[in-house]
Amino acid sequence: MANNLGLSIDRSSPVPLYHQVVQGIEAAIYSGVLEPGSRLDNEIDLAAQLNLSRPTMRKAMDELVRSGLLVRKRGVGTQVVSSQVRRPLELSSLYDDLTNNGKKPTTDVLSFAHLEADEATLATLQLPAGSKVYHFTRLRKVGGKPLALMENWVRDDIADMDEAMLAAEGLYSILRRGGVNFRLATQRIGAMTANEYQASMLEAAEGSALVTMERTAVDDTGRRVETGHHVYRADSYSFEMTLVQR
Amino acid sequence: MANNLGLSIDRSSPVPLYHQVVQGIEAAIYSGVLEPGSRLDNEIDLAAQLNLSRPTMRKAMDELVRSGLLVRKRGVGTQVVSSQVRRPLELSSLYDDLTNNGKKPTTDVLSFAHLEADEATLATLQLPAGSKVYHFTRLRKVGGKPLALMENWVRDDIADMDEAMLAAEGLYSILRRGGVNFRLATQRIGAMTANEYQASMLEAAEGSALVTMERTAVDDTGRRVETGHHVYRADSYSFEMTLVQR
DNA sequence: AAAGTCCTAATGTCAGCACAAATAAATTTC
DNA sequence: GAAATTTATTTGTGCTGACATTAGGACTTT
C-alpha cells in the first residue's frame, strides 16, 4: 500500500500547504499515477508521509471530494473516482474557455454605447435610477465561423472600456484587470430557434436551433457587475458540467 | 452589532453542530432576519455566542461561502451576499424538482425493456460485454401538458424496476430506495429543433426549439448507474444554476 | 493638509488531541 | 457450518491553541 504519489511539500512557499496537496493529488490523478478506483492510504498515514497534520490533510481531501475527484467512505477509505470526469463548469467567459482549448477566437463588436440604463437593467444590476452602463453586442467567431451572438450590460464604475478593447480580448479579462474579483454568477440555459437577424449573423438557417444563456455575475463585494444575453449555434456549442452531490 | 440571529444549537441532536449552524444562518438569510449586505459578527464572537469552537463555526461559514450565501474578506469581516441568489443546480431528477416546486407531474411510460446493452451503452456505463440493462422512454407531463421526452439506460444489478414503478414515481427515488447514493453526474446541455416524432409527443410544432440534456450519474462506489438523453420544450423549461468561483 | 507609518481587528493557516460512528473482517458461539 | 458478536480500521466531528496575513483606520510626521 506504499502509495507513494511522488509529491513534495514546500513549506517556504506562499501557497498554503493544503493547496499544495490538492494540486499534487490532482496532478497525480490526471497524469495517471493514481488510477481510477485505486484506494489512497488513510488520512493519518498520508499526513505522516508528508509531515503534515491530519486537519491539513483532511482539508485538502475535502476539496478534492467536493470537486468530485475523490470519494470517501467512513470505515472503508478514500478512492479515486471512476474516471473521465470532466472539470466542472467554471465561472469563466466563453473567450477563456476557447483560448484554454487552444482555439483562436475573434470578436466583432457590432454596437457599443455608454448610456443611461433602462429600467430592467437597473433592476437586474441593482443600480440607482439614472445610472449609466456600457451596452454592447458582439459576434464571436472561431476559425472564421460564427459561434455566438452576445449582448451585454456592464456597470461603468469599475473599468473603462471601448470597442477596441472588446475586439481584442474577452470581457472577463478586461473586468478582472479592472480589479473585479468574481465570486458567483447565476445563469439560465435554454433554447430557441433563430430569427432572421440571428440567422444572418450566425450564418445559420432561419429556424435552426440556438442555445440561449442569460447570466448575471456578482463580485466579491456583492456588486452585480455584468449581465448578458447570449445565443450560440446549437451545432457548435453546448454546456458541459459536473454536478457534485453534497 | 449584537447580531442576534435567533438560532439555537441542540447538542443532543444527531445532526452535526456545524450543519445546524449552516441551516440556521441559511434560514436567517432566506427569512430576511439577515439582510443582504449586512455584516456578521466575527467568527470568534459568533462561536462564543453559540458556545462553539472557532473551527466548528468556521466550517459552517466555509460551506455558506462555498454555496455563495456569504462573502468573507480578510481583515474586514463577513457579509451576506447581495440577494436573490438562487440555489445552485442540484443533483436531482426533474421529478424531484417539479414536486419540490409544488407541481404534480405525471409520467407516461412509452416503452420498457430489459435487454442486453448495445456497445455505446456498455461503454458509457462501463459495463462488461453481455451485460443487461433496463431501457425505457418516458413522457413527463405537468398539468396535462407535455414537458419532457426522456430515454434512459440503467444498469440492472442495483434495483428491480417495472413500468408501474416508473409511472408512479421518479427514476432517482427508485434508485435511491435501491440503495444508490449518488455522488456526481456529468451532463451536457444543448439545443435542437423538434423532429416529427418529438413534436407529436410533446404537442409542439415540428421545428420548434427543444432543450437537450445528456446525463450520466455515478454513485459513491464509482459505478456508473444511469445514463439518459432527454429533450424539453424550450418554452416550458430551462436550466438555472449558480456558479461559485473557487 | 497631505503623506507615510503604526496599530488593530478580522480572517487565513496549521498543529495536536480526543472521541464518535460506520464498516468490514475476524472471532466466537450455538 | 452458520449466525451472532467482537474487534480493528477508517473517516466524521469537535475542541484548544498559536501564529500569519491582510485591510483599514488612526496617528504621527513632514
Side-chain angles (χ1 to χ4, degrees):
Chain A
M1 197 126 329
N3 206 320
N4 241 328
L5 29 104
L7 57 95
S8 58
I9 301 298
D10 176 8
R11 298 193 85 96
S12 68
S13 159
V15 25
L17 302 182
Y18 70 86
H19 199 248
Q20 292 185 39
V21 176
V22 169
Q23 293 175 324
I25 296 182
E26 263 178 0
I29 292 176
Y30 284 125
S31 72
V33 176
L34 280 177
E35 286 179 22
S38 62
R39 264 209 332 285
L40 296 183
D41 288 350
N42 68 60
E43 299 170 350
I44 300 178
D45 287 352
L46 276 178
Q49 287 169 29
L50 297 172
N51 275 327
L52 297 172
S53 70
R54 187 182 164 213
T56 301
M57 194 66 215
R58 237 186 110 69
K59 176 154 189 177
M61 297 176 78
D62 272 345
E63 287 208 15
L64 292 162
V65 168
R66 250 190 299 123
S67 69
L69 285 174
L70 298 182
V71 165
R72 283 195 287 216
K73 243 181 170 174
R74 186 191 291 199
V76 181
T78 305
Q79 273 188 321
V80 179
V81 97
S82 64
S83 69
Q84 300 289 54
V85 183
R86 296 267 178 271
R87 269 178 301 217
L89 195 57
E90 300 274 343
L91 180 46
S92 62
S93 66
L94 173 60
Y95 193 88
D96 294 338
D97 287 345
L98 293 170
T99 51
N100 288 342
N101 288 330
K103 306 293 177 70
K104 298 256 184 293
T106 60
T107 308
D108 296 348
V109 179
L110 305 177
S111 76
F112 183 87
H114 183 199
L115 41 72
E116 262 193 28
D118 60 28
E119 203 138 325
T121 307
L122 288 176
T124 305
L125 294 181
Q126 296 182 328
L127 292 171
S131 302
K132 297 183 79 175
V133 294
Y134 295 110
H135 172 238
F136 45 87
T137 54
R138 296 170 293 163
L139 180 67
R140 180 140 301 152
K141 299 180 183 178
V142 175
K145 206 179 112 185
L147 174 62
L149 191 55
M150 308 179 286
E151 179 172 19
N152 287 84
W153 293 262
V154 183
R155 49 189 301 161
D156 69 343
D157 55 354
I158 291 180
D160 286 324
M161 59 182 70
D162 56 36
E163 270 189 71
M165 291 166 71
L166 285 169
E169 60 183 323
L171 172 59
Y172 274 41
S173 61
I174 295 176
L175 291 174
R176 266 192 263 267
R177 209 176 45 236
V180 176
N181 298 305
F182 288 102
R183 259 316 125 82
L184 53 90
T186 61
Q187 66 182 33
R188 174 182 290 278
I189 301 172
M192 69 184 296
T193 51
N195 61 30
E196 191 184 334
Y197 172 72
Q198 292 165 334
S200 68
M201 295 308 298
L202 291 170
E203 296 175 18
E206 198 174 334
S208 64
L210 302 178
V211 182
T212 68
M213 183 194 74
E214 297 166 54
R215 169 154 69 181
T216 302
V218 181
D219 77 355
D220 59 356
T221 65
R223 287 185 303 189
R224 303 211 172 172
V225 174
E226 173 261 338
T227 185
H229 195 143
H230 299 183
V231 299
Y232 307 85
R233 285 180 57 143
D235 58 0
S236 312
Y237 200 72
S238 59
F239 289 89
E240 183 166 338
M241 66 197 77
T242 300
L243 307 178
V244 180
Q245 181 79 345
R246 288 164 314 181
Chain B
M1 197 131 326
N3 206 319
N4 239 328
L5 31 103
L7 57 93
S8 58
I9 301 298
D10 177 7
R11 299 191 85 96
S12 68
S13 159
V15 26
L17 301 182
Y18 69 86
H19 199 249
Q20 291 185 39
V21 177
V22 169
Q23 293 174 324
I25 296 183
E26 264 179 0
I29 292 175
Y30 284 126
S31 71
V33 176
L34 280 177
E35 286 179 21
S38 62
R39 266 210 329 287
L40 296 183
D41 288 349
N42 69 60
E43 299 172 349
I44 301 179
D45 287 353
L46 277 178
Q49 286 168 31
L50 297 173
N51 276 326
L52 296 173
S53 70
R54 189 183 164 211
T56 302
M57 193 67 215
R58 235 185 113 70
K59 177 154 189 179
M61 297 176 79
D62 272 345
E63 287 208 15
L64 291 162
V65 168
R66 253 190 293 123
S67 68
L69 286 174
L70 297 182
V71 165
R72 280 194 288 217
K73 246 181 169 175
R74 186 190 292 201
V76 181
T78 304
Q79 273 188 322
V80 178
V81 97
S82 66
S83 68
Q84 300 290 51
V85 183
R86 297 265 177 274
R87 269 179 301 219
L89 195 59
E90 299 275 342
L91 179 45
S92 62
S93 67
L94 173 60
Y95 192 89
D96 294 339
D97 287 345
L98 293 171
T99 51
N100 288 342
N101 288 329
K103 305 294 177 68
K104 298 255 184 294
T106 60
T107 309
D108 296 349
V109 180
L110 304 176
S111 76
F112 183 88
H114 183 198
L115 40 71
E116 263 194 28
D118 60 29
E119 204 138 325
T121 307
L122 288 176
T124 304
L125 295 181
Q126 297 182 326
L127 292 171
S131 302
K132 298 183 78 175
V133 294
Y134 294 111
H135 172 239
F136 46 86
T137 54
R138 294 171 293 163
L139 180 65
R140 178 139 303 152
K141 298 181 182 176
V142 175
K145 205 179 112 183
L147 174 64
L149 191 56
M150 307 179 287
E151 179 172 19
N152 288 83
W153 293 262
V154 183
R155 52 190 299 162
D156 70 343
D157 55 354
I158 290 180
D160 286 324
M161 59 182 70
D162 55 38
E163 271 189 72
M165 291 166 70
L166 286 169
E169 59 183 325
L171 172 60
Y172 274 41
S173 59
I174 294 175
L175 291 173
R176 265 192 264 268
R177 210 177 42 235
V180 176
N181 298 305
F182 288 102
R183 261 316 125 82
L184 53 90
T186 61
Q187 66 182 31
R188 174 181 289 277
I189 301 172
M192 69 182 297
T193 51
N195 62 28
E196 191 185 334
Y197 172 71
Q198 292 165 334
S200 68
M201 294 308 298
L202 292 170
E203 295 175 15
E206 198 174 332
S208 65
L210 302 178
V211 182
T212 67
M213 183 194 74
E214 296 165 56
R215 169 154 68 180
T216 302
V218 181
D219 77 355
D220 58 357
T221 64
R223 286 185 303 189
R224 306 219 171 166
V225 174
E226 174 261 337
T227 184
H229 196 145
H230 298 183
V231 300
Y232 306 84
R233 284 180 59 145
D235 58 1
S236 311
Y237 199 73
S238 59
F239 288 89
E240 182 167 337
M241 66 198 74
T242 300
L243 308 178
V244 180
Q245 181 79 345
R246 291 165 314 178

